[in-house]
Amino acid sequence: MKMSFSLSRNVLALACMAALTGPALAQEAANSDAPAADAKKAANLETVTVTGTRISNPNVISPTPISVLTAADIKATGAINIGDLMTTMPQLATTFTMGNSNRFIGTAGVAQQDLRNLGTSRTLVLVNGRRFVGSSAGDTAVDVNLIPADWVERVEIITGGASAVYGADAVTGVVNFILKKNYQGANLHAQYGTSEHGGLDKKLISLTGGMNFAENRGNIAVSVEHSDQSNLEFHDRFGNKAYATILTPDGPTDSALFGNGGGYTNYAGGTFSTGSATAIGKRYVFNPDGSVRHQNFNGPYDNTGRCSDCDRTDVNQVLQLEPQYRRTTLSSVASFDITPEQHLYAEGTYSHIDVTKYGQPAFGSGGSAYVITRDNAYIDPSLAAVMDANKLKSIKVSRFDTDTGRRGEDTGRNTTRIALGANGVITGDWEYDTSVVYGVMDETRHNLNNRINDRFYASIDAVRDPKSGNIVCRSTLNPNATNPNAGGVLDPIALGGGCVPTSIFGVGAVNPAAAQWFNTTTTTTSRLTQFVGGGTVTNNNLFQMPFDAGAASLVAGAEFRRETSRQVTDPLDVAGLTFLNAIPPSSGAYDVKEGYIETAMPLLSGRPFAQNLTFDAAARFSDYSTIGHTKAWRWGLDWSIDSNLRLRGTMSSAVRAPNIGELFGGQSENFFTITDPCSVKQLKNAPDPALRTANCQALGVPAGWTSTNTATIRGLSGSNPDLKPEQGRTWTAGLVLTPEFLPGFGVTADYWNIKLTDAISAPSGTDIANHCVDSTTGVSNPYCGNALRDPVTHELVYINSVNQNISSLSTSGVDIGAYYSHEIGSGKLRLDLDLTKVIAYTEHPFQDDPSNTVQDNGTLGFPKWKGMLRASYAWNSWLFNWNMRYFSSMLRVSNESYQSNPTQTTPIKAGAGFFNDAKVSYTFANSGWQAYFGVTNVFDRDPPVNIFGNTFGGGLYDAIGRAYYAGFNYNF
């Protein structure tokens, strides 16, 4: 939680450097370039709060590594929303960025934190050391975009297990946002930015004010901040580029470029075949007037539905790179000293977010292609001739329905959080801190252009009225008629006199009136609540340790927390009547009672080779209403050899209780995109091709078989009320070097190792399919039971993926931090480096089978190296900032696949990222004004080919290109 103390400048600097991994923690104020100014500011500094321990003894320093991002660091980036800035930190993964948050239903604009790439649900986010309400139904993970950028004083990142100190969800660590307090005066801040390539404008305006009252016994401060960014579309940034996979069996590689989600079997204007789906000589497409012609194949193609120079779909043309996002946040803090030893405090936050995203339209392909019968009224003579020549009573039209409108989400989120507390002295050396926190998040999501399937099927099943000769829906003439796409009589929602017939033959063929009839807007609402009440008692002079080492410290506390979640899904979606996945409503709650204790015991002090040696330990005992009793512990050792060198290490045991969504979210329909591992071209990409071949044949798949499925595969995903808690073990060991012979320089290095067992996971469709046939125990394994195949076609037809405690994860690495501050000329230079080297990242999808491993390190989204270098130079009224971000190159395929076939894709690697940002600001003397100008992605570096920042791994790259911003601050 926090460690508060008053120290001189030298002692404070030493304490901070020893406690923190991040080199920014001792950073001077931006324009304080004179030592006298530094000394004056340090003398006025009353407290420094450091995350990592609840011990408040000034002589005790947490042995847990911590990185810090200061307010100056944040301002140097020009960030208007803090989420994307956080993912640039080496310890955090780009699981959620503004660009890739569109991947899931209901997460657009959400920025959740993911330490060590071990999952957002295993990273605890705090605000001023206390919990914050979650942002997505069923989950306690926090959307940090709700935290106003201008209101942040600093961000502290604990990069080791912290469950014993802070409770569940801190398996991989804690991200603690420290907000401004005791603010006096007022500040107006405005900023505007735009991309050089157009299509993305960003705006920020904030007003902050604070004042003391009651003869300086109290303080109140309020901040209002509004940020706004426009949407960014693919064609605005990358024009009309198109990408497709091409098999080149006679060349040096098996494939070139990449899959693009559509290909020639899912053409925008509609396509069909009079033979097999990939028999190109029998493939036809529709012209805009509804006539047909042979599909154009001028370039390479393959038998999985991909081609290059041909009539095909380019789904990038409807790809949105960033959503439209608007946020307004009202923040306030207040404190009041009842007596010099008794204090009250309060925090309040209200945030309103509107985010709008658009994606792909509805479509029909593979098994869901649209069936058109011979008597359809829109059939052109050329189509009739083809059908009659091939004696076809119906055809299956695959189509990308751009003319029915892009599907999207318009989401509003309202989040309110209030914290009230008191602290002070009980008696003697005993102190207390008690607080209550209540938070609520309300979300309303409108699903735009959500097609009512049976209405669409009614519209495209158009015939001529024998009486009037007009084109009508067949269901209008006969409501009991069997619809070829519905597989029976249409749902009553599609029956009646409202049906509007339409053609689907050719781009733009869909009647807008019909689209208005079969498209609708469905609404899903969610509410999350959080209540936390608790308190601590502290004694920093419990008793004197032997050898004049100092006083032992003790903190003990208790906490009660209740989390609730409720999601109400639109009845149309619940019934599975729309194109959106059939998602059931869900609700759940749990509460937990916890007690915890932490102690710090100095063992030696002022001895040769032991300037200070302190032992730290913590334990937490919890009782969950869902999973029962759990316990977590941590111990650590901090050894200051002398003023030049400090060693530190921790060992901890952590737990994570399953969240509401994992337990009570319900099971719902899902669709999986899978490249069939039994398809002949995929056999050699297996870790053991011979084993995969044998297992595929044991499933009945014949030798030489090729999958022709180009559609997604239906399945089931969802919760499991019988889950157990996850178990985690973390240990760290490191050093802090602050050589006296080099003033202004410091370096830290910490090794970390995390292992998670009984991990809750719902394996991906690809994992289930692959592990079924790559298992060394044959096909009688859980994966094969969850990957069902058609006994005749041998195609995968159903995937079952629900939450289970079946996995384990382990990762290890080294964090390096360094800083250097030195006067150059009449100014001061400051350099700060954060660097992470990941040594290993190993998944055991089925922990009972230790031979079944997935090595993720070095694959897309898991760089082996990631670093940030921040440079600043303060000269008179000028401040110059230069930030450099780097990460190493990554494989586009798995390590196992690469080892089995290192030439399978060209290019097989995504290149290293190296992005630079610059900012210059000028403060006008005696005026209160500061103006600044900045450039992001100075060298306009593009992401690698076919990476657009909208995927998990792609989020590492800058997909916006060079952008500019300018703004001002006015203090009054």
Side-chain angles (χ1 to χ4, degrees):
M1 182 174 148
K2 59 183 179 181
M3 177 170 67
S4 302
F5 47 93
S6 299
L7 297 172
S8 69
R9 181 177 186 271
N10 291 336
V11 178
L12 173 62
L14 176 62
C16 287
M17 289 185 293
L20 306 181
T21 298
L25 44 127
Q27 183 168 353
E28 294 86 358
N31 289 322
S32 298
D33 56 345
D38 289 345
K40 182 178 180 181
K41 287 179 178 289
N44 292 332
L45 184 62
E46 295 181 357
T47 61
V48 172
T49 304
V50 175
T51 307
T53 177
R54 296 179 186 270
I55 300 292
S56 58
N57 191 329
N59 298 313
V60 173
I61 296 172
S62 170
T64 304
I66 301 173
S67 292
V68 173
L69 197 67
T70 68
D73 297 328
I74 297 170
K75 289 183 179 298
T77 67
I80 66 170
N81 294 298
I82 205 165
D84 283 356
L85 171 61
M86 293 302 301
T87 61
T88 65
M89 296 293 288
Q91 303 87 355
L92 290 160
T94 51
T95 305
F96 282 97
T97 66
M98 192 65 75
N100 70 18
S101 64
N102 286 357
R103 292 175 296 152
F104 307 110
I105 296 172
T107 61
V110 168
Q112 297 173 348
Q113 304 298 278
D114 185 355
L115 275 168
R116 307 299 188 202
N117 248 328
L118 287 172
T120 59
S121 61
R122 302 180 182 113
T123 300
L124 179 59
V125 171
L126 304 174
V127 174
N128 291 335
R130 290 175 283 272
R131 287 181 178 260
F132 200 94
V133 66
S135 56
S136 298
D139 198 354
T140 56
V142 175
D143 176 11
V144 301
N145 277 338
L146 299 176
I147 301 170
D150 265 12
W151 198 237
V152 176
E153 182 175 294
R154 68 184 181 279
V155 187
E156 297 171 348
I157 304 172
I158 303 176
T159 54
S163 283
V165 177
Y166 294 103
D169 309 331
V171 175
T172 58
V174 170
V175 179
N176 188 12
F177 290 83
I178 308 298
L179 306 184
K180 294 177 180 178
K181 59 182 179 181
N182 295 325
Y183 187 91
Q184 298 182 60
N187 174 264
L188 174 65
H189 178 202
Q191 179 178 308
Y192 173 78
T194 188
S195 168
E196 179 177 294
H197 303 280
L200 185 69
D201 295 335
K202 294 185 177 183
K203 306 168 188 175
L204 171 73
I205 185 166
S206 71
L207 179 63
T208 303
M211 58 177 288
N212 287 347
F213 62 92
E215 299 179 336
N216 294 326
R217 292 168 57 196
N219 178 270
I220 185 169
V222 178
S223 168
V224 180
E225 181 173 299
H226 177 77
S227 70
D228 191 324
Q229 78 162 48
S230 58
N231 63 303
L232 179 63
E233 300 293 327
F234 175 88
H235 53 77
D236 291 332
R237 174 68 175 92
F238 297 103
N240 294 313
K241 293 181 181 180
Y243 301 83
T245 294
I246 313 163
L247 288 191
T248 55
D250 297 327
T253 63
D254 285 339
S255 63
L257 296 184
F258 312 92
N260 191 26
Y264 64 76
T265 57
N266 197 22
Y267 186 56
T271 178
F272 70 96
S273 176
T274 59
S276 68
T278 56
I280 64 169
K282 297 185 177 182
R283 293 205 61 84
Y284 293 83
V285 295
F286 292 93
N287 296 312
D289 63 359
S291 61
V292 299
R293 59 175 172 81
H294 279 286
Q295 195 161 357
N296 173 26
F297 289 92
N298 293 327
Y301 58 87
D302 63 35
N303 59 3
T304 66
R306 312 288 181 187
C307 61
S308 179
D309 184 8
C310 64
D311 292 321
R312 68 180 181 89
T313 298
D314 180 15
V315 298
N316 287 333
Q317 298 311 305
V318 293
L319 176 63
Q320 188 177 68
L321 301 182
E322 299 221 3
Q324 184 179 23
Y325 183 88
R326 298 166 299 277
R327 171 181 59 84
T328 301
T329 302
L330 173 65
S331 302
S332 61
V333 294
S335 62
F336 186 78
D337 299 337
I338 302 174
T339 71
E341 294 184 334
Q342 304 296 327
H343 318 285
L344 301 175
Y345 58 85
E347 302 168 10
T349 300
Y350 171 78
S351 186
H352 174 73
I353 285 176
D354 285 309
V355 57
T356 305
K357 78 163 191 178
Y358 282 96
Q360 295 183 8
F363 55 86
S365 63
S368 61
Y370 308 139
V371 178
I372 300 296
T373 57
R374 178 62 180 82
D375 61 347
N376 189 284
Y378 291 107
I379 287 181
D380 179 270
S382 61
L383 174 57
V386 170
M387 294 182 70
D388 293 343
N390 289 275
K391 300 180 179 179
L392 297 175
K393 295 182 179 179
S394 65
I395 57 173
K396 287 189 173 182
V397 177
S398 293
R399 197 173 192 275
F400 200 59
D401 303 324
T402 54
D403 46 9
T404 67
R406 294 166 68 189
R407 293 175 295 131
E409 295 176 357
D410 186 4
T411 304
R413 302 187 185 102
N414 294 303
T415 303
T416 304
R417 176 181 180 267
I418 298 173
L420 302 173
N423 57 36
V425 176
I426 301 174
T427 183
D429 295 316
W430 290 96
E431 300 177 359
Y432 74 95
D433 191 334
T434 183
S435 65
V436 293
V437 178
Y438 179 75
V440 58
M441 192 284 294
D442 286 303
E443 177 185 274
T444 300
R445 185 180 75 249
H446 300 296
N447 305 297
L448 308 175
N449 283 329
N450 191 12
R451 188 171 77 190
I452 301 174
N453 290 325
D454 276 19
R455 284 192 175 185
F456 175 74
Y457 298 151
S459 286
I460 66 174
D461 188 22
V463 296
R464 289 206 177 265
D465 185 338
K467 295 181 179 180
S468 67
N470 296 327
I471 298 177
V472 297
C473 303
R474 190 190 306 269
S475 59
T476 301
L477 299 178
N478 180 9
N480 295 317
T482 298
N483 185 283
N485 290 286
V489 176
L490 293 166
D491 187 270
I493 197 172
L495 301 176
C499 183
V500 180
T502 187
S503 167
I504 58 170
F505 305 143
V507 175
V510 172
N511 182 350
Q516 186 175 7
W517 182 68
F518 58 67
N519 283 338
T520 190
T521 296
T522 58
T523 300
T524 296
T525 61
S526 301
R527 165 168 275 216
L528 278 68
T529 68
Q530 179 186 76
F531 174 82
V532 186
T536 61
V537 292
T538 305
N539 191 321
N540 290 319
N541 192 25
L542 191 63
F543 55 81
Q544 291 295 315
M545 296 290 293
F547 310 112
D548 296 323
S553 298
L554 175 72
V555 173
E559 184 176 280
F560 173 83
R561 177 164 56 97
R562 179 170 176 80
E563 305 273 359
T564 74
S565 175
R566 182 182 75 249
Q567 180 170 283
V568 179
T569 310
D570 193 287
L572 289 175
D573 295 328
V574 174
L577 295 176
T578 67
F579 195 84
L580 189 70
N581 295 7
I583 302 173
S586 62
S587 64
Y590 69 85
D591 57 64
V592 54
K593 298 181 285 290
E594 299 183 285
Y596 51 88
I597 188 170
E598 184 179 1
T599 184
M601 297 183 180
L603 305 179
L604 293 173
S605 179
R607 302 300 177 91
F609 305 106
Q611 187 180 72
N612 182 59
L613 179 64
T614 301
F615 173 78
D616 173 275
R620 177 177 289 257
F621 303 92
S622 307
D623 182 12
Y624 285 84
S625 61
T626 51
I627 58 170
H629 298 279
T630 67
K631 61 183 178 180
W633 53 262
R634 186 193 80 181
W635 62 264
L637 198 64
D638 183 81
W639 178 18
S640 177
I641 297 175
D642 56 25
S643 59
N644 296 280
L645 180 63
R646 180 183 295 269
L647 305 179
R648 59 189 177 191
T650 65
M651 177 74 74
S652 64
S653 172
V655 295
R656 186 183 79 84
N659 61 37
I660 293 173
E662 291 165 333
L663 289 167
F664 311 120
Q667 297 180 349
S668 60
E669 181 182 33
N670 203 350
F671 294 89
F672 301 88
T673 301
I674 301 173
T675 300
D676 198 311
C678 287
S679 194
V680 64
K681 292 288 185 180
Q682 296 301 316
L683 294 176
K684 63 182 176 181
N685 294 332
D688 185 341
L691 175 64
R692 178 179 286 188
T693 300
N695 283 337
C696 287
Q697 292 180 3
L699 291 172
V701 179
W705 176 80
T706 296
S707 172
T708 59
N709 180 41
T710 60
T712 55
I713 298 167
R714 185 170 171 266
L716 188 70
S717 296
S719 62
N720 180 355
D722 298 322
L723 292 172
K724 303 181 297 182
E726 298 178 337
Q727 306 290 329
R729 286 291 178 94
T730 300
W731 68 276
T732 67
L735 60 86
V736 180
L737 181 63
T738 53
E740 292 181 343
F741 66 83
L742 187 58
F745 174 78
V747 64
T748 65
D750 289 276
Y751 171 82
W752 45 269
N753 187 298
I754 304 172
K755 183 174 182 179
L756 190 70
T757 57
D758 292 332
I760 299 168
S761 65
S764 69
T766 295
D767 283 343
I768 291 172
N770 287 353
H771 292 312
C772 163
V773 294
D774 291 334
S775 173
T776 57
T777 60
V779 296
S780 297
N781 60 68
Y783 295 104
C784 288
N786 291 315
L788 306 183
R789 291 181 178 272
D790 187 291
V792 178
T793 66
H794 311 297
E795 298 281 4
L796 287 165
V797 293
Y798 195 83
I799 298 293
N800 184 32
S801 176
V802 296
N803 297 327
Q804 302 174 68
N805 292 98
I806 60 172
S807 303
S808 68
L809 299 165
S810 61
T811 182
S812 61
V814 176
D815 288 336
I816 299 171
Y819 69 91
Y820 181 63
S821 179
H822 187 69
E823 293 183 4
I824 298 179
S826 58
K828 176 170 282 188
L829 174 70
R830 174 81 187 194
L831 300 173
D832 292 280
L833 173 70
D834 279 304
L835 186 66
T836 294
K837 161 65 175 175
V838 179
I839 298 171
Y841 190 107
T842 304
E843 293 185 62
H844 294 271
F846 197 61
Q847 63 186 3
D848 290 342
D849 180 9
S851 64
N852 188 355
T853 64
V854 179
Q855 304 295 334
D856 290 319
N857 198 25
T859 61
L860 194 60
F862 297 85
K864 294 182 178 180
W865 288 93
K866 188 178 179 184
M868 169 70 77
L869 176 64
R870 298 183 293 273
S872 66
Y873 182 71
W875 174 64
N876 294 331
S877 296
W878 293 92
L879 179 63
F880 303 90
N881 295 99
W882 190 278
N883 294 336
M884 291 181 285
R885 179 168 63 95
Y886 168 81
F887 51 87
S888 54
S889 64
M890 298 161 285
L891 286 171
R892 295 178 186 259
V893 299
S894 69
N895 281 295
E896 293 77 13
S897 179
Y898 177 73
Q899 291 166 5
S900 66
N901 185 5
T903 62
Q904 62 189 273
T905 302
T906 301
I908 202 167
K909 289 186 177 181
F914 186 69
F915 299 97
N916 293 262
D917 306 323
K919 179 187 174 185
V920 58
S921 61
Y922 182 81
T923 301
F924 296 87
N926 303 318
S927 70
W929 286 93
Q930 181 196 61
Y932 61 87
F933 174 77
V935 183
T936 58
N937 196 351
V938 173
F939 301 110
D940 199 22
R941 292 195 54 152
D942 287 334
V945 63
N946 209 44
I947 290 179
F948 312 115
N950 64 318
T951 60
F952 161 67
L956 281 162
Y957 295 92
D958 185 311
I960 298 171
R962 185 186 293 123
Y964 308 94
Y965 63 90
F968 69 85
N969 282 281
Y970 177 59
N971 293 306
F972 54 93

